[in-house]
Amino acid sequence: MSAIEPVMTIGGAAVDSTRRIDVVNPATEQVLGSAPDCSPAQLDDAVAAARGAADAWAARPIDERKRHLCALSDAILAAADDLSRLLTSEQGKTLADARGEIEGAARAIRFWTTLDLPTLVTEDTPERRVETVRVPLGVVAAISPWNFPIVLAIMKVAPAMLAGNSVILKPSPFTPLTTLRVGEIARDILPAGVLNVISGGDQLGPWLTAHPGIDKVSFTGSTETGRRVMESAAPTLKRLTLELGGNDPVIVLPDVDVEQVAPKLFWAAFRNSGQICIAAKRIYVHAAIYDRMLSVFARMAEDVRVGDGTEQGVQLGPLNNAGQFRRVRALIDQSVAAGLRIVPQHAPAAGPGFFIRPAIVDNPPEDAPIVRQEQFGPIVPLMRFDDIDDAIDRANATEYGLGASVWGADEASALAVARRLQSGMVWVNESPTLPPSAPFAGHKQSGVGAENGMEGLLSFTAPRTFVVRHSVST
Ligand code: NAD
């Protein structure tokens, strides 16, 4: 395969850079292509292009902006075959999952076009009218991670543009290629400067968040980086939305049908090789069903097909990058060194590729790193509980508050437990999903603000209130 070398989109034009960064296929560890390494001057160009486009874009009627978004959705769908293959080759996920992500992103764009910016009238008398409208913020920087590069970018870009902002999108250096391609597709559809897509190494994110020409940063990534983004945005008081890490607890009540629920929980933990912010990351199972649950998990972990995501029948791909591969391996090694039991016991995969087969840590103590840290990989702790109050306390004993789930045959009892969990999303007898119409907001150190739904849309606007006295003589 010839090297894949997409370029940036700045002010509606194709822009290359004098330096490029290599992108590695995680299934082969071979360089797959490269992306431009945006220079500070090119970043200035992108900000100037976005600023230059913002007012005219905001001045268009919202229905016109919606027509542009629908055209973008259609064009992404039309390119779904190519985009999915490219996504698999740089991210590692299976082709079916990559296609699901691309089609999901196109559907998400369509969803945003069903919303309108509200006008709030708080006073309407013969003397006076008080009315609040929503105006765009200006230039939005959208920063995305490597686990779901396209769908997470679209969760920012589409509502930001619908609200009338222009955008500078920066993907992760591990997965820039598909995002750059989406920028190329958008070039023919959106007015110049409305969507700029730039790529670069580790320095580009900090340059972007510190840039005085940017009004809002919408960031998805780790909690650690989120703190840095907040610091960097402080001097110019940029608006912020931070979607950060999670260590989602799951509580399984004793009345569940184990054979039915276990496979759902298995996939809640291991889909995308565990590299999902809202994956099941700590699973608390009632003692009465613990052994049966563990045995179904172990059987599935034994049987699941792990390999190159482009191969037919593969269910789980590799981890995305060498750093994440080492982190997850270290957590496994640490667990083994601490005398914890891991099932099944897999021999380390022979290279190349960042492959780790799924495994379960059998009832580790609460203070084990595999319980305390976000693993973001295919290894999950299953923990026994006898007393529901104790399970809830343990589930809540974390700095994170992204998602949580409760599984039980009696919905009312499960819901009663769910109401006591401290996170922004709580699923009851449901695998982790994010309905685009509902706000998704990390509690505690899992985030600031919300994405999705009306709240997500409004986060790309500021309120502007008009107080109109009908007659100066009264
Ligand atoms: P990361 O924080 O390392 O990187 C995320 C993005 O930020 C990348 O584009 C990166 O280049 C950029 N970046 C790095 N340093 C920066 C800085 N100082 N300033 C500005 N930008 C910077 O995260 P990752 O490893 O790509 O993704 C995995 C993490 O993301 C996990 O913790 C996961 O839980 C989290 N995540 C959260 C959500 C959510 O919606 N809450 C969704 C997916 C992933």
Side-chain angles (χ1 to χ4, degrees), residues 143-148 152 155-156 170-174 200-202 204-209 217 219-226 228-229 232 242-246 275-278 281 321 324 374 376 400 402 434 440 442 446-447 451:
I143 302 180
S144 50
W146 46 257
N147 61 334
F148 283 84
L152 294 174
M155 272 166 72
K156 305 171 182 314
K170 188 206 85 68
S172 163
F174 295 112
D202 292 344
L204 184 56
W207 291 344
L208 195 53
T209 55
V217 178
F219 170 86
T220 299
S222 63
T223 294
E224 199 185 330
T225 311
R228 276 188 235 128
V229 169
S232 157
L242 303 176
E243 290 290 358
L244 308 178
Q275 302 163 113
I276 302 188
C277 56
I278 49 171
K281 292 181 181 143
N321 57 73
Q324 188 59 17
E374 180 189 32
F376 221 61
Y400 294 111
L402 198 59
L434 297 176
F440 170 44
S446 283
E451 288 198 303

Side-chain angles (χ1 to χ4, degrees), residues 5 26 45-46 58 60 69-70 110 139 226 250 258 285 289 301 310 327 349 367 398 447 452 458:
E5 296 175 336
D45 291 345
R60 289 177 189 239
L69 286 176
C70 288
R110 284 267 169 188
V139 177
V250 173
V258 172
V285 182
I289 51 167
T310 57
R327 260 200 75 240
D367 61 357
T398 168
N452 279 352
L458 295 184

Side-chain angles (χ1 to χ4, degrees), residues 364-438:
E366 279 297 319
D367 61 357
I370 188 64
V371 182
R372 304 280 14 118
Q373 293 176 24
E374 180 189 32
Q375 66 274 49
F376 221 61
I379 173 95
V380 70
L382 217 65
M383 288 162 292
R384 201 185 276 270
F385 75 88
D386 293 292
D387 173 57
I388 188 64
D389 291 332
D390 172 54
I392 294 169
D393 286 348
R394 289 158 69 187
N396 286 336
T398 168
E399 78 212 58
Y400 294 111
L402 198 59
S405 71
V406 183
W407 298 74
D410 178 42
E411 188 181 309
S413 314
L415 197 54
V417 173
R419 292 195 193 287
R420 295 171 63 190
L421 294 177
Q422 300 166 346
S423 58
M425 297 294 303
V426 188
W427 299 276
V428 175
N429 294 325
E430 171 77 299
S431 303
T433 52
L434 297 176
S437 51

Side-chain angles (χ1 to χ4, degrees), residues 12-181:
V15 178
D16 203 350
S17 188
T18 48
R19 289 160 43 124
R20 297 187 63 93
I21 51 169
D22 284 343
V23 180
V24 168
N25 179 335
T28 62
E29 295 182 54
Q30 298 293 308
V31 172
L32 148 85
S34 67
D37 192 4
C38 184
S39 69
Q42 288 174 318
L43 173 60
D44 287 343
D45 291 345
V47 174
R51 286 233 82 85
D55 286 352
W57 179 244
R60 289 177 189 239
I62 193 166
D63 284 343
E64 214 178 290
R65 296 202 294 269
K66 287 182 183 183
R67 276 196 292 279
H68 279 96
L69 286 176
C70 288
L72 180 62
S73 167
D74 291 347
I76 289 175
L77 265 189
D81 277 348
D82 288 348
L83 292 173
S84 309
R85 266 195 299 276
L86 187 55
L87 184 55
T88 291
S89 60
E90 66 174 341
Q91 204 290 324
K93 64 183 62 185
T94 65
L95 258 182
D97 282 351
R99 178 169 273 277
E101 179 170 351
I102 299 295
E103 291 179 354
R107 272 196 308 276
I109 298 176
R110 284 267 169 188
F111 160 75
W112 288 107
T113 66
T114 64
L115 296 189
D116 283 296
L117 292 169
T119 297
L120 179 69
V121 178
T122 46
E123 199 181 313
D124 195 11
T125 64
E127 292 79 36
R128 200 164 90 133
R129 181 177 167 90
V130 179
E131 178 184 291
T132 304
V133 298
R134 291 282 170 163
V135 294
L137 298 169
V139 177
V140 170
I143 302 180
S144 50
W146 46 257
N147 61 334
F148 283 84
I150 300 304
V151 89
L152 294 174
I154 291 298
M155 272 166 72
K156 305 171 182 314
V157 166
M161 294 196 303
L162 177 69
N165 302 280
S166 54
V167 177
I168 300 174
L169 170 60
K170 188 206 85 68
S172 163
F174 295 112
T175 52
L177 302 176
T178 319
T179 311
L180 289 166
R181 279 270 194 264

